[in-house]
Amino acid sequence: MTDTYDPTRTAILLVDPYNDFLSEGGKVWPALEGVATEVGLLDNLRAVVGAGRAAGQKVFFVPHRRWREGDYEDWQHPNPTHRIIQERHTFALGTWGGEFHPDFRPAEGDVVVQEHWSQSGFANTDLDFRLKQHGVTHVIVIGLLANTCIESTGRYAMELGYHVTLVRDATAAYRPEMMHAAHELNGPTYAHSITTTADLLKTPENGDH
């Protein structure tokens, strides 16, 4: 059965589209570049977001916490990623790396939700509330990273009752085996649809309109 996406009830969740992740010169880009280039990440993100906007779907920006001085220092249980952010100052507030990639900046009608501290875009943010205010039932989760923030956000969305779509080539990870785990092993345990950009855009509400 082909999934359909009523544009009035579907949202694109664009997770962490920062320069540090997506741009040449970004702090994390060198670790992602191989996989991102292989899957055509940037072009596919542009295609999904562009088609979604054209179809009338809401685009929700789901940004990671931009590092500030003192972040995580008084936490009881910072995880390894928090420690790396402390060291690297990833997505630092007020820096180029902490700005959205120039091709992925909020447009009129988009929604920017509160920054998430860890991996889920829902935990300790207003994402669920904002989605419900717009009557959203279906979420298409794209961005970075496939096996961390995308997986955590998608799994949490499922727990809250949303229909969840993952797009294999509109995300990336540090290594191919992480992509495999995200889409072949873990994704099928929570996502309702795991597709590609090309197949997603073939649905009537996402391209053939």
Side-chain angles (χ1 to χ4, degrees):
M1 179 178 178
T2 302
D3 288 285
T4 58
Y5 301 90
D6 178 347
T8 67
R9 301 177 69 81
T10 300
I12 295 168
L13 305 188
L14 179 56
V15 181
D16 299 347
Y18 288 121
N19 281 323
D20 268 345
F21 263 151
L22 293 173
S23 296
E24 195 77 38
K27 292 177 180 175
V28 190
W29 175 249
L32 285 169
E33 185 175 7
V35 171
T37 301
E38 181 181 354
V39 302
L41 173 65
L42 288 167
D43 284 342
N44 291 327
L45 289 175
R46 293 183 190 103
V48 174
V49 172
R53 284 176 174 152
Q57 296 171 351
K58 279 285 185 185
V59 177
F60 282 69
F61 282 70
V62 183
H64 199 282
R65 165 80 174 183
R66 286 170 290 178
W67 180 84
R68 283 88 152 162
E69 192 71 43
D71 275 1
Y72 310 112
E73 289 180 3
D74 58 352
W75 282 35
Q76 294 186 36
H77 308 292
N79 68 29
T81 300
H82 296 144
R83 293 299 191 195
I84 292 171
I85 291 173
Q86 276 185 298
E87 295 169 10
R88 275 197 305 223
H89 304 170
T90 319
F91 323 128
L93 183 68
T95 69
W96 172 84
E99 295 175 359
F100 293 134
H101 184 283
D103 292 348
F104 307 109
R105 291 178 178 164
E108 185 177 355
D110 293 349
V111 178
V112 181
V113 302
Q114 293 171 339
E115 297 174 355
H116 52 274
W117 284 88
S118 297
Q119 295 177 353
S120 172
F122 286 95
N124 307 304
T125 77
D126 59 346
L127 178 55
D128 181 49
F129 177 79
R130 301 290 292 278
L131 290 170
K132 284 182 167 59
Q133 292 304 306
H134 288 279
V136 171
T137 58
H138 289 54
V139 293
I140 299 168
V141 191
I142 60 174
L144 299 159
L145 293 165
N147 59 313
T148 56
C149 291
I150 298 300
E151 179 170 334
S152 293
T153 300
R155 190 181 294 276
Y156 208 128
M158 175 275 294
E159 297 283 1
L160 292 170
Y162 295 95
H163 178 287
V164 178
T165 295
L166 303 178
V167 187
R168 297 173 185 271
D169 51 7
T171 186
Y174 298 142
R175 300 194 300 272
E177 55 265 37
M178 292 175 172
M179 294 285 276
H180 176 81
H183 301 127
E184 306 304 326
L185 303 180
N186 297 341
T189 69
Y190 68 88
H192 303 86
S193 177
I194 304 176
T195 187
T196 64
T197 297
D199 285 343
L200 178 69
L201 299 188
K202 289 176 184 176
T203 61
E205 298 81 359
N206 288 276
D208 296 345
H209 55 263

